[in-house]
Amino acid sequence: HLPGNHLIPCDLHCPHCAGKFFKKDLGTWELDGLELLNKLEGKIPYHIYGGAYTEPLLNPYFMTFLHTTKRYGGHFGIHTNGVWLHRLEEQCGWLTELNRISTDDTDYLSISLDAGLASSWAKTKGTKNKELYYDILLGLQEAVGIRNNSDKGHAIRVCYLISPYSDSPEDFEEIVRWCKEIGVDSLRFSIP
């Protein structure tokens, strides 16, 4: 659980987030964490990066953690809200680099989308900026395109935590249609 960007833990405010009950210290322990990964030299072969109350894509050291995981032959799993995927690809080719370092579909990128419509998504995620939903969809589409064009790489998964705001047939139909259309590897529905 990387500590956000040292300013904020996450850019969304999901009402169902269990992390809302946690003390939200952000810390600056990344160099110690990287030193530990280097000392372990791959003895722990699978590293899952997510956040109990933080968004890993906000962290400036995140790609370094992923590279360190791969350096020792390990695999990664990423759990993100996806808001930063498109922006990071535009700014620094983040999705392209993620695909370059992934070795197979044991590595994965999992996006907690949690809605099929922008208005439902904004309520589910505790934000008024429903345009961010379209940024996530664009980032997902870019990730699938990059992976398909390279003919290798990590799995791309979408998670849908059903909430009172996103439990409509319209939401379900739209997310299923969209995920099939762009070609993600899986779509998982769950109940909080």
Side-chain angles (χ1 to χ4, degrees):
H1 302 289
L2 297 174
N5 63 4
H6 305 287
L7 302 172
I8 61 170
C10 185
D11 41 3
L12 299 176
H13 307 284
C14 306
H16 60 272
C17 180
K20 69 184 172 188
F21 299 112
F22 298 167
K23 185 177 174 186
K24 293 187 176 61
D25 292 347
L26 294 176
T28 55
W29 50 263
E30 294 96 337
L31 292 178
D32 293 333
L34 288 167
E35 183 180 350
L36 177 62
L37 287 182
N38 282 301
K39 285 180 179 178
L40 287 170
E41 295 181 334
K43 289 178 179 67
I44 299 173
Y46 214 134
H47 302 168
I48 308 299
Y49 297 96
Y53 60 86
T54 61
E55 168 52 45
L57 269 66
L58 288 173
N59 190 274
Y61 292 86
F62 189 31
M63 189 56 75
T64 306
F65 273 88
L66 295 170
H67 271 274
T68 305
T69 295
K70 298 311 287 183
R71 175 182 183 192
Y72 296 107
H75 284 91
F76 61 77
I78 300 169
H79 293 265
T80 175
N81 64 33
V83 168
W84 282 88
L85 292 173
H86 171 65
R87 280 184 265 177
L88 286 172
E89 179 60 20
E90 273 191 328
Q91 292 171 2
C92 61
W94 196 91
L95 290 168
T96 300
E97 181 64 6
L98 183 69
N99 178 262
R100 188 186 73 76
I101 67 170
S102 69
T103 47
D104 54 43
D105 63 3
T106 302
D107 296 321
Y108 69 86
L109 172 64
S110 179
I111 293 85
S112 298
L113 198 51
D114 303 336
L117 303 169
S119 56
S120 305
W121 177 86
K123 290 175 188 168
T124 299
K125 298 299 190 174
T127 182
K128 293 180 192 240
N129 188 355
K130 63 183 176 183
E131 294 303 313
L132 292 173
Y133 181 77
Y134 300 108
D135 285 347
I136 297 168
L137 297 182
L138 183 55
L140 267 167
Q141 195 167 12
E142 289 170 330
V144 170
I146 291 164
R147 194 258 324 262
N148 290 349
N149 287 337
S150 73
D151 203 28
K152 74 149 192 91
H154 54 83
I156 300 169
R157 306 173 181 176
V158 174
C159 294
Y160 192 119
L161 183 66
I162 301 168
S163 77
Y165 303 115
S166 66
D167 65 353
S168 73
E170 295 81 18
D171 275 285
F172 298 151
E173 289 169 9
E174 184 59 21
I175 195 65
V176 168
R177 182 199 63 75
W178 191 83
C179 284
K180 283 181 176 179
E181 183 178 302
I182 71 157
V184 299
D185 295 296
S186 66
L187 168 61
R188 183 187 75 196
F189 290 92
S190 58
I191 300 169

